[in-house]
Amino acid sequence: MGALPQHLVNGLTVGSLYALLAIGLSLTYGVLRIIHIAHGAVYMLGGMISYTLMVRFRLPPLPAIALTLAACAGVGVVFERWAYRPLRTAPIIVTLISSLGLLLMVENLARIAWGPLTQPYPQFVSLRVYALGSVIVTNLQLLVLALGLALMVALQWCLRHTQVGLATLAAVQNPRGARLCGIDIDAIALVIFAVGSGLAGLAGILEGLYLTSVDPSMGQIFGLKAFVAVVVGGLGSIAGTMLAAYLIGLLEALTAAYVSAGLRDVITFALLVLVLMVRPSGLLGRRVDRA
Amino acid sequence: MLDLFFGPYALTLLFLVAINVTLAGSLNLITGYGGQVSIGHVAFYAVGAYTAAILSTAWGWSFWLTLPAAVVVSFAAGVLIGAPSLRVEHDFLAIVTLGLGLVVQGLALNLEVTGGPYGISNVRRIAVLGRTLGPWGHAALAVGLAGLTLFLVHRIQGSRVGTALLAIREDALAAEVTGIETARYKVLAFALGGTFAGAAGALYAHYATFVSSDSFDLAASISMLAMAVVGGLGTRLGPLVGAVLLTLVPELMRFTAEYRMVLYGLMLVVMMRCLPRGLLGRSAIRTGG
């Protein structure tokens, strides 16, 4: 059991990345009731675009990151305007197919643009290792954990203390009621797609740093697992989503360490099914109002 | 010229189209008539294919024995996979079935009995009266299965079961109140739909003589759902139209080489924008929404 704290640290780090991705999904589902599977593609673009800016165009890390986040936010906004807004009143299965179409499009375009191979990611943060007793923590892990937590706190603050944030929360609670109160759902949709996609892009950058490589296929399973966090946490519950994201990170680290690395994803998805059998609305979810 | 229509390539296409009609038609029973969105239909296809492949390679069974076995096993898998639909509804069910599909693929990739990442090769070819079937025979079998699926789904839809499913789709609570055992019928829809997909899997395993987990990924599940939706959920011939279109269009787009899947994705988005009810769909279906 000596290695347990180590696995916990590793698990929480990956959990932070899931959380960054899951926030956008939680908001898009909460406000618009869409299963935005293509979110994983934005995360992948975050990794690939920042890689290209730094390696091909030799930009320093900070401007490269800023440009990447802007590009990802832009892609999210285009998704919303082009593929989701025209389907605002359509059944969820129609937006789902549309979202899957987006995922196929973007992933395969990326495979053409960058080739299917894994690319080594520029390590612009020099690695430092700290030993806390028997646990080894790297500065990258601390960065991912701290950045994840800070952004989450900031996001919660914005949701509760700004006009847009309060309007978003109102729309998450009851989209129809919010619209009746004069809240502009279209404007909120653009904001949450921009912010959520920016966070997904950031998760892609951090993943590149943390795992030292990026590839055009990195988004699919990762995006689906972030969706598992949203569902297990309770669709529409932002706190539940974050909790579930960290739990999934921990579960995966422990499964990989003590059961089998190959079965890691199987166990994550099996957990999803089990949790929903016991609590059909997720851990912290309430029954979703159907508009 | 004749070769283009009757050559091996055309027959291969015909076989694939027919398999996809079977898959989309059986999914139509679950999602179109039953109103239960499933993104995990590939799981049944996989269960049928692996059942046939394992029985054929381990015990030397022929297709005529593995087919009924695959039917029984995939019916049982349908009961298992349909069970969550009793507790979980709508969007949640869509995600749960997606998860189940990935669990099945993940197990296929990791278990020993399924050959792990190498899959299972040397599945016996289909033989009739001691003669191995050629491309014509395979295509005929697949078309037969597709026709049988569409016919039986149509018959089920017109029967008590179909009426109960429609009632549940439109208003589960009202259906329950009028004495329909919603739980039984929901699971039955999954089991029946899964059975056809399992049979298609068995046929595919013997046709290809090889199965591996690559064939049963998320993209396969997506395309089954897309065929059912693009054709028109809950329509009699929708799965046929959807499967023909979405199987042949990527083939015809082969000249676009690596842009093929990009165009396929683009087509799905544009289709949903222009025809959200599918090509044959007329009335709005309250599927998961």
Side-chain angles (χ1 to χ4, degrees), chain B residues 21 40-42 80 82 86 90 111 132 192 196 201 211 216 243 265 278-279 287:
Chain B
V21 171
H41 204 53
V42 76
L80 271 180
L86 303 183
H90 304 299
L111 294 182
T132 309
L192 290 173
F196 293 113
V211 288
F216 309 107
L279 290 168
T287 304

PDB file of all heavy atoms in Angstrom, chain B residues 21 40-42 80 82 86 90 111 132 192 196 201 211 216 243 265 278-279 287:
ATOM      1  N   VAL B  21     -28.758  -2.501 -43.185  1.00  0.00           N
ATOM      2  CA  VAL B  21     -30.225  -2.409 -43.112  1.00  0.00           C
ATOM      3  C   VAL B  21     -30.708  -3.190 -41.889  1.00  0.00           C
ATOM      4  O   VAL B  21     -31.574  -2.731 -41.140  1.00  0.00           O
ATOM      5  CB  VAL B  21     -30.876  -2.961 -44.400  1.00  0.00           C
ATOM      6  CG1 VAL B  21     -32.385  -3.076 -44.224  1.00  0.00           C
ATOM      7  CG2 VAL B  21     -30.555  -2.062 -45.589  1.00  0.00           C
ATOM      8  N   GLY B  40     -25.560   2.359 -28.214  1.00  0.00           N
ATOM      9  CA  GLY B  40     -24.704   1.215 -27.947  1.00  0.00           C
ATOM     10  C   GLY B  40     -25.115  -0.005 -28.748  1.00  0.00           C
ATOM     11  O   GLY B  40     -24.820  -1.135 -28.380  1.00  0.00           O
ATOM     12  N   HIS B  41     -25.786   0.237 -29.884  1.00  0.00           N
ATOM     13  CA  HIS B  41     -26.313  -0.899 -30.632  1.00  0.00           C
ATOM     14  C   HIS B  41     -25.196  -1.805 -31.126  1.00  0.00           C
ATOM     15  O   HIS B  41     -25.407  -3.001 -31.332  1.00  0.00           O
ATOM     16  CB  HIS B  41     -27.149  -0.393 -31.805  1.00  0.00           C
ATOM     17  CG  HIS B  41     -28.163  -1.389 -32.281  1.00  0.00           C
ATOM     18  ND1 HIS B  41     -29.071  -1.972 -31.427  1.00  0.00           N
ATOM     19  CD2 HIS B  41     -28.407  -1.925 -33.507  1.00  0.00           C
ATOM     20  CE1 HIS B  41     -29.830  -2.813 -32.111  1.00  0.00           C
ATOM     21  NE2 HIS B  41     -29.451  -2.802 -33.375  1.00  0.00           N
ATOM     22  N   VAL B  42     -24.012  -1.237 -31.316  1.00  0.00           N
ATOM     23  CA  VAL B  42     -22.882  -2.019 -31.792  1.00  0.00           C
ATOM     24  C   VAL B  42     -22.566  -3.170 -30.828  1.00  0.00           C
ATOM     25  O   VAL B  42     -22.013  -4.193 -31.225  1.00  0.00           O
ATOM     26  CB  VAL B  42     -21.642  -1.112 -32.001  1.00  0.00           C
ATOM     27  CG1 VAL B  42     -20.995  -0.753 -30.672  1.00  0.00           C
ATOM     28  CG2 VAL B  42     -20.636  -1.752 -32.925  1.00  0.00           C
ATOM     29  N   LEU B  80     -30.042  -7.945 -20.657  1.00  0.00           N
ATOM     30  CA  LEU B  80     -29.076  -7.316 -19.751  1.00  0.00           C
ATOM     31  C   LEU B  80     -28.904  -5.824 -20.057  1.00  0.00           C
ATOM     32  O   LEU B  80     -28.950  -4.975 -19.172  1.00  0.00           O
ATOM     33  CB  LEU B  80     -27.710  -7.989 -19.893  1.00  0.00           C
ATOM     34  CG  LEU B  80     -27.428  -9.185 -19.000  1.00  0.00           C
ATOM     35  CD1 LEU B  80     -26.032  -9.715 -19.298  1.00  0.00           C
ATOM     36  CD2 LEU B  80     -27.526  -8.756 -17.537  1.00  0.00           C
ATOM     37  N   GLY B  82     -30.862  -3.978 -21.793  1.00  0.00           N
ATOM     38  CA  GLY B  82     -32.118  -3.249 -21.682  1.00  0.00           C
ATOM     39  C   GLY B  82     -32.490  -2.931 -20.248  1.00  0.00           C
ATOM     40  O   GLY B  82     -33.274  -2.014 -19.983  1.00  0.00           O
ATOM     41  N   LEU B  86     -34.953   0.551 -17.415  1.00  0.00           N
ATOM     42  CA  LEU B  86     -36.034   0.571 -16.437  1.00  0.00           C
ATOM     43  C   LEU B  86     -35.848   1.714 -15.447  1.00  0.00           C
ATOM     44  O   LEU B  86     -36.797   2.261 -14.915  1.00  0.00           O
ATOM     45  CB  LEU B  86     -36.067  -0.753 -15.669  1.00  0.00           C
ATOM     46  CG  LEU B  86     -36.212  -1.975 -16.549  1.00  0.00           C
ATOM     47  CD1 LEU B  86     -36.309  -3.227 -15.702  1.00  0.00           C
ATOM     48  CD2 LEU B  86     -37.445  -1.838 -17.436  1.00  0.00           C
ATOM     49  N   HIS B  90     -34.441   8.769 -21.251  1.00  0.00           N
ATOM     50  CA  HIS B  90     -34.085   9.863 -22.145  1.00  0.00           C
ATOM     51  C   HIS B  90     -32.585  10.038 -22.339  1.00  0.00           C
ATOM     52  O   HIS B  90     -31.890   9.085 -22.651  1.00  0.00           O
ATOM     53  CB  HIS B  90     -34.721  11.166 -21.659  1.00  0.00           C
ATOM     54  CG  HIS B  90     -36.198  11.068 -21.507  1.00  0.00           C
ATOM     55  ND1 HIS B  90     -37.034  10.785 -22.555  1.00  0.00           N
ATOM     56  CD2 HIS B  90     -36.985  11.189 -20.426  1.00  0.00           C
ATOM     57  CE1 HIS B  90     -38.273  10.753 -22.131  1.00  0.00           C
ATOM     58  NE2 HIS B  90     -38.278  10.990 -20.841  1.00  0.00           N
ATOM     59  N   LEU B 111     -10.135  -9.233 -23.080  1.00  0.00           N
ATOM     60  CA  LEU B 111     -10.319 -10.598 -22.598  1.00  0.00           C
ATOM     61  C   LEU B 111      -9.498 -11.587 -23.425  1.00  0.00           C
ATOM     62  O   LEU B 111      -9.143 -11.318 -24.572  1.00  0.00           O
ATOM     63  CB  LEU B 111     -11.796 -10.990 -22.649  1.00  0.00           C
ATOM     64  CG  LEU B 111     -12.708 -10.219 -21.693  1.00  0.00           C
ATOM     65  CD1 LEU B 111     -14.134 -10.729 -21.794  1.00  0.00           C
ATOM     66  CD2 LEU B 111     -12.206 -10.322 -20.255  1.00  0.00           C
ATOM     67  N   THR B 132     -18.904 -24.427 -50.198  1.00  0.00           N
ATOM     68  CA  THR B 132     -18.693 -23.127 -49.580  1.00  0.00           C
ATOM     69  C   THR B 132     -19.395 -22.038 -50.394  1.00  0.00           C
ATOM     70  O   THR B 132     -19.344 -22.054 -51.619  1.00  0.00           O
ATOM     71  CB  THR B 132     -17.182 -22.811 -49.507  1.00  0.00           C
ATOM     72  OG1 THR B 132     -16.534 -23.931 -48.908  1.00  0.00           O
ATOM     73  CG2 THR B 132     -16.918 -21.572 -48.685  1.00  0.00           C
ATOM     74  N   LEU B 192     -35.358  -7.897 -28.499  1.00  0.00           N
ATOM     75  CA  LEU B 192     -35.698  -8.230 -29.891  1.00  0.00           C
ATOM     76  C   LEU B 192     -34.777  -7.493 -30.856  1.00  0.00           C
ATOM     77  O   LEU B 192     -34.234  -8.086 -31.795  1.00  0.00           O
ATOM     78  CB  LEU B 192     -37.159  -7.864 -30.175  1.00  0.00           C
ATOM     79  CG  LEU B 192     -38.212  -8.736 -29.475  1.00  0.00           C
ATOM     80  CD1 LEU B 192     -39.610  -8.174 -29.705  1.00  0.00           C
ATOM     81  CD2 LEU B 192     -38.128 -10.179 -29.961  1.00  0.00           C
ATOM     82  N   PHE B 196     -31.706  -9.288 -33.696  1.00  0.00           N
ATOM     83  CA  PHE B 196     -31.431  -9.109 -35.131  1.00  0.00           C
ATOM     84  C   PHE B 196     -29.990  -8.654 -35.352  1.00  0.00           C
ATOM     85  O   PHE B 196     -29.301  -9.126 -36.255  1.00  0.00           O
ATOM     86  CB  PHE B 196     -32.391  -8.088 -35.740  1.00  0.00           C
ATOM     87  CG  PHE B 196     -33.818  -8.555 -35.774  1.00  0.00           C
ATOM     88  CD1 PHE B 196     -34.787  -7.950 -35.002  1.00  0.00           C
ATOM     89  CD2 PHE B 196     -34.176  -9.619 -36.595  1.00  0.00           C
ATOM     90  CE1 PHE B 196     -36.103  -8.379 -35.035  1.00  0.00           C
ATOM     91  CE2 PHE B 196     -35.493 -10.059 -36.640  1.00  0.00           C
ATOM     92  CZ  PHE B 196     -36.461  -9.439 -35.854  1.00  0.00           C
ATOM     93  N   GLY B 201     -24.290  -9.925 -36.748  1.00  0.00           N
ATOM     94  CA  GLY B 201     -22.908 -10.098 -36.296  1.00  0.00           C
ATOM     95  C   GLY B 201     -22.378 -11.481 -36.640  1.00  0.00           C
ATOM     96  O   GLY B 201     -21.251 -11.634 -37.122  1.00  0.00           O
ATOM     97  N   VAL B 211     -12.813 -11.593 -36.720  1.00  0.00           N
ATOM     98  CA  VAL B 211     -13.406 -10.490 -35.958  1.00  0.00           C
ATOM     99  C   VAL B 211     -12.348  -9.877 -35.051  1.00  0.00           C
ATOM    100  O   VAL B 211     -11.470 -10.587 -34.541  1.00  0.00           O
ATOM    101  CB  VAL B 211     -14.594 -10.945 -35.071  1.00  0.00           C
ATOM    102  CG1 VAL B 211     -15.814 -11.272 -35.886  1.00  0.00           C
ATOM    103  CG2 VAL B 211     -14.206 -12.088 -34.170  1.00  0.00           C
ATOM    104  N   PHE B 216     -15.982  -2.741 -33.774  1.00  0.00           N
ATOM    105  CA  PHE B 216     -17.123  -2.474 -32.902  1.00  0.00           C
ATOM    106  C   PHE B 216     -16.905  -1.225 -32.067  1.00  0.00           C
ATOM    107  O   PHE B 216     -17.195  -1.180 -30.882  1.00  0.00           O
ATOM    108  CB  PHE B 216     -17.383  -3.690 -32.010  1.00  0.00           C
ATOM    109  CG  PHE B 216     -17.463  -4.960 -32.807  1.00  0.00           C
ATOM    110  CD1 PHE B 216     -16.444  -5.897 -32.768  1.00  0.00           C
ATOM    111  CD2 PHE B 216     -18.552  -5.188 -33.638  1.00  0.00           C
ATOM    112  CE1 PHE B 216     -16.513  -7.052 -33.526  1.00  0.00           C
ATOM    113  CE2 PHE B 216     -18.631  -6.342 -34.404  1.00  0.00           C
ATOM    114  CZ  PHE B 216     -17.606  -7.279 -34.349  1.00  0.00           C
ATOM    115  N   ALA B 243     -29.724   3.239 -44.487  1.00  0.00           N
ATOM    116  CA  ALA B 243     -28.581   2.329 -44.593  1.00  0.00           C
ATOM    117  C   ALA B 243     -28.005   2.333 -46.005  1.00  0.00           C
ATOM    118  O   ALA B 243     -26.790   2.350 -46.193  1.00  0.00           O
ATOM    119  CB  ALA B 243     -28.992   0.912 -44.191  1.00  0.00           C
ATOM    120  N   GLY B 265     -18.989  13.365 -41.907  1.00  0.00           N
ATOM    121  CA  GLY B 265     -19.392  14.163 -40.747  1.00  0.00           C
ATOM    122  C   GLY B 265     -20.166  15.401 -41.165  1.00  0.00           C
ATOM    123  O   GLY B 265     -21.216  15.725 -40.602  1.00  0.00           O
ATOM    124  N   GLY B 278     -35.461  13.185 -40.730  1.00  0.00           N
ATOM    125  CA  GLY B 278     -35.028  12.129 -41.621  1.00  0.00           C
ATOM    126  C   GLY B 278     -35.739  12.220 -42.959  1.00  0.00           C
ATOM    127  O   GLY B 278     -36.684  12.990 -43.129  1.00  0.00           O
ATOM    128  N   LEU B 279     -35.263  11.419 -43.911  1.00  0.00           N
ATOM    129  CA  LEU B 279     -35.791  11.515 -45.268  1.00  0.00           C
ATOM    130  C   LEU B 279     -37.257  11.113 -45.356  1.00  0.00           C
ATOM    131  O   LEU B 279     -38.030  11.718 -46.076  1.00  0.00           O
ATOM    132  CB  LEU B 279     -34.952  10.628 -46.196  1.00  0.00           C
ATOM    133  CG  LEU B 279     -33.537  11.156 -46.448  1.00  0.00           C
ATOM    134  CD1 LEU B 279     -32.684  10.088 -47.112  1.00  0.00           C
ATOM    135  CD2 LEU B 279     -33.590  12.399 -47.319  1.00  0.00           C
ATOM    136  N   THR B 287     -38.731  11.220 -29.566  1.00  0.00           N
ATOM    137  CA  THR B 287     -37.655  10.381 -29.072  1.00  0.00           C
ATOM    138  C   THR B 287     -36.680  11.162 -28.209  1.00  0.00           C
ATOM    139  O   THR B 287     -35.995  12.047 -28.689  1.00  0.00           O
ATOM    140  CB  THR B 287     -36.890   9.767 -30.249  1.00  0.00           C
ATOM    141  OG1 THR B 287     -37.838   9.068 -31.033  1.00  0.00           O
ATOM    142  CG2 THR B 287     -35.821   8.842 -29.783  1.00  0.00           C
TER     143      THR B 287
END
